[in-house]
């Protein structure tokens, strides 16, 4: 009976350990003094490029781990009495960045019997850090450019150019243009900041909103700009759809999408605003026949100050924040944004929002 209880206890502990290791998002590797794998969990096999079907326990790290840096790290831990920490880039098809923590394993007598290696996937953190650095660089550039131009022309006017009426009026016009651009950038940044501060829908003032009315208001506001390029805005007749949200914010988001479509569409083309139902959500789709967006840019176009064509975007007067504002407006109202595009054939931007019950 005692032996049976002991066996059951050992089996229970083993099962608990295996359950914990297999469900950890961190990779765990144990090696002995001969650099052979004695234990490895599911996450670690994925990091190492194995599908789990291949038996790797008992194999040397050189035959299983194809990454020289990780092999050297494990050897360093086996020959060190203290914990070791390093950041290692694993060049696979995912481009993972791992933070590796190694600790020597000892028996009751204090003799080293192997090493425990824990792999933390910090790829997403590295990606966010890169985005943050790019944002700081981009916002500095976007603000510095108009400020530098304003300072230059003001100094030119002070140096005597103000005495010439033609030069004075031209320089003042340039100063006005760039001061307006500076004001637009700051206003968009403040809008994003306000949207990020919303934590409770009650702070925004949600109500039942008729999307058909939102579409018609935006078309009225954009019809003149579209006519300047001989662009037709179409809105097929559909059944009335309602969502719970803020009508002013929805109009602002849709207005950004339609104005973008007008900016980047050729003359004598069409823009279509469509309402469609998808499960329990309503899709508000803006389709244009513009230049289109290459696939490598689609995952990043909703980032702040990210531009597909920087020179053209600034020439058109954009701040680089319009799509970021659209994304945040839709998110605070419980939805998400989607985009599909083909270079030379146009784009389709969708705002997906929960349908009002």
């Amino acid at each position: 009976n005692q032996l049976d209880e002991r066996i059951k206890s050992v089996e229970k502990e083993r099962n608990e350990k295996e359950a914990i290791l297999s469900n950890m998002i961190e990779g765990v590797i144990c090696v002995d003094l001969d650099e052979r794998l004695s234990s490895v969990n599911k996450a670690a096999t994925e990091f190492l490029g194995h599908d789990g079907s291949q038996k790797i326990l008992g194999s040397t790290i050189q035959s299983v781990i194809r990454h020289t840096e990780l092999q050297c790290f494990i050897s360093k831990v086996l020959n060190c009495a203290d914990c070791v920490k390093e950041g290692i880039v694993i060049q696979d098809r995912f481009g993972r960045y791992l933070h590796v923590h190694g600790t020597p394993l000892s028996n009751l007598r204090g003799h080293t019997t192997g090493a425990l290696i824990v792999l933390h996937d910090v790829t997403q953190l590295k990606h966010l850090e890169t985005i943050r650095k790019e944002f700081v660089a981009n916002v500095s550039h976007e603000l510095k450019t108009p400020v530098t131009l304003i300072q230059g022309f003001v100094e030119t006017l002070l140096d005597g150019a103000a005495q010439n009426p033609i030069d004075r009026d031209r320089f003042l016009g340039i100063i006005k243009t760039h001061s307006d651009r500076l004001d637009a950038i700051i206003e968009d940044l403040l809008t994003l900041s306000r949207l990020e501060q919303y934590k409770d829908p009650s702070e925004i003032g949600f109500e039942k909103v008729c999307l058909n009315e939102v579409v018609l208001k935006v078309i009225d506001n954009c019809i003149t700009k579209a006519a300047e390029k001989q662009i037709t805005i179409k809105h097929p007749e559909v059944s009335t759809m309602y969502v719970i949200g803020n009508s002013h914010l929805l109009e602002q988001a849709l207005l950004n999408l339609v104005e973008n479509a007008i900016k980047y569409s050729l003359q004598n083309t069409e823009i279509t605003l469509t309402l469609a139902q998808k499960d329990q959500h309503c899709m508000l789709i803006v389709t244009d026949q513009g230049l289109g967006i290459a696939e490598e840019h689609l995952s990043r176009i909703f980032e702040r100050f990210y531009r597909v064509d920087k020179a053209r975007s600034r020439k058109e007067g954009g701040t680089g924040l319009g799509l970021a504002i659209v994304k945040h407006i839709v998110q605070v109202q419980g939805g998400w944004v989607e985009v599909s595009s083909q270079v030379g054939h146009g784009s389709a931007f969708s705002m997906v929002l929960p349908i009002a019950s």
Side-chain angles (χ1 to χ4, degrees):
N1 287 338
Q2 290 178 354
L3 181 60
D4 184 54
E5 288 295 326
R6 180 63 59 87
I7 291 173
K8 288 181 179 178
S9 177
V10 171
E11 287 179 345
K12 181 181 177 183
E13 291 178 2
R14 184 196 62 189
N15 292 337
E16 288 177 351
K17 185 193 77 169
E18 290 181 352
I20 292 171
L21 289 176
S22 63
N23 287 285
M24 288 178 64
I25 59 174
E26 294 86 1
V28 179
I29 300 173
C30 288
V31 297
D32 58 22
L33 292 176
D34 296 326
E35 296 188 347
R36 293 183 179 275
L37 294 175
S38 58
S39 180
V40 59
N41 71 343
K42 181 181 178 182
T45 58
E46 293 177 356
F47 291 156
L48 300 177
H50 294 271
D51 58 6
S53 60
Q54 182 181 357
K55 301 298 182 182
I56 59 177
L57 293 182
S59 304
T60 61
I61 61 172
Q62 290 78 12
S63 64
V64 175
I65 300 173
R66 306 299 183 185
H67 309 285
T68 306
E69 283 186 83
L70 190 53
Q71 293 176 8
C72 295
F73 176 83
I74 294 174
S75 299
K76 185 191 297 185
V77 176
L78 288 171
N79 295 294
C80 183
D82 298 322
C83 297
V84 183
K85 297 180 182 179
E86 282 187 15
I88 296 177
V89 178
I90 290 187
Q91 296 294 342
D92 60 4
R93 61 192 180 94
F94 301 110
R96 290 192 179 98
Y97 189 96
L98 301 180
H99 185 268
V100 189
H101 185 281
T103 305
L105 295 176
S106 303
N107 58 19
L108 295 176
R109 297 180 180 179
H111 298 149
T112 300
T113 59
L116 174 67
I117 312 298
V118 181
L119 311 174
H120 300 269
D121 188 353
V122 293
T123 307
Q124 182 65 16
L125 292 176
K126 280 290 178 181
H127 175 65
L128 293 175
E129 183 180 346
T130 301
I131 292 177
R132 181 186 62 81
K133 290 179 180 178
E134 289 179 356
F135 170 74
V136 172
N138 288 335
V139 72
S140 301
H141 176 74
E142 293 288 346
L143 293 176
K144 186 173 179 59
T145 299
V147 168
T148 302
L149 288 169
I150 291 171
Q151 288 176 333
F153 283 109
V154 168
E155 289 173 1
T156 303
L157 289 170
L158 292 174
D159 289 341
Q163 305 304 320
N164 186 326
I166 297 176
D167 287 342
R168 180 189 62 207
D169 292 344
R170 183 165 64 88
F171 292 162
L172 288 175
I174 295 173
I175 292 172
K176 175 68 165 57
T177 298
H178 288 286
S179 63
D180 288 344
R181 171 170 173 73
L182 196 61
D183 180 67
I185 292 173
I186 294 172
E187 184 60 36
D188 282 352
L189 285 171
L190 291 173
T191 299
L192 281 170
S193 177
R194 287 193 294 268
L195 289 170
E196 288 180 335
Q197 290 175 3
Y198 291 136
K199 295 186 176 15
D200 190 335
S202 61
E203 298 176 11
I204 308 174
F206 278 6
E207 59 186 358
K208 193 173 183 179
V209 179
C210 176
L211 283 184
N212 303 66
E213 294 179 1
V214 171
V215 170
L216 293 175
K217 287 181 181 178
V218 170
I219 291 176
D220 287 340
N221 289 331
C222 296
I223 197 72
T224 304
K225 288 184 180 179
E228 292 173 358
K229 297 180 68 174
Q230 290 82 48
I231 293 175
T232 304
I233 302 179
K234 290 187 174 181
H235 172 48
E237 291 294 331
V238 295
S239 59
T240 304
M241 292 189 179
Y242 292 91
V243 296
I244 297 298
N246 182 288
S247 59
H248 174 71
L249 290 177
L250 288 173
E251 288 175 21
Q252 183 180 356
L254 183 59
L255 185 64
N256 281 350
L257 292 181
V258 176
E259 287 183 343
N260 272 359
I262 295 172
K263 286 178 186 176
Y264 302 112
S265 291
L266 301 176
Q267 291 190 344
N268 298 308
T269 55
E270 293 180 354
I271 296 172
T272 306
L273 276 61
T274 310
L275 288 173
Q277 185 170 344
K278 180 181 179 182
D279 299 327
Q280 297 301 312
H281 291 81
C282 176
M283 297 182 67
L284 180 48
I285 309 166
V286 179
T287 308
D288 62 55
Q289 299 172 341
L291 303 175
I293 304 168
E295 186 176 355
E296 63 266 23
H297 298 295
L298 293 180
S299 62
R300 300 196 61 189
I301 57 174
F302 292 100
E303 295 177 12
R304 303 174 191 192
F305 294 115
Y306 187 84
R307 300 175 186 271
V308 176
D309 186 342
K310 295 183 179 180
R312 181 180 175 88
S313 296
R314 293 192 181 95
K315 183 180 178 181
E316 296 288 350
T319 63
L321 294 167
L323 290 179
I325 291 174
V326 171
K327 176 184 175 182
H328 279 74
I329 286 176
V330 175
Q331 284 181 340
V332 299
Q333 298 182 83
W336 66 88
V337 290
E338 297 177 356
V339 59
S340 61
S341 185
Q342 187 177 356
V343 176
H345 295 278
S347 307
F349 287 84
S350 303
M351 297 193 301
V352 187
L353 299 159
I355 292 178
S357 57

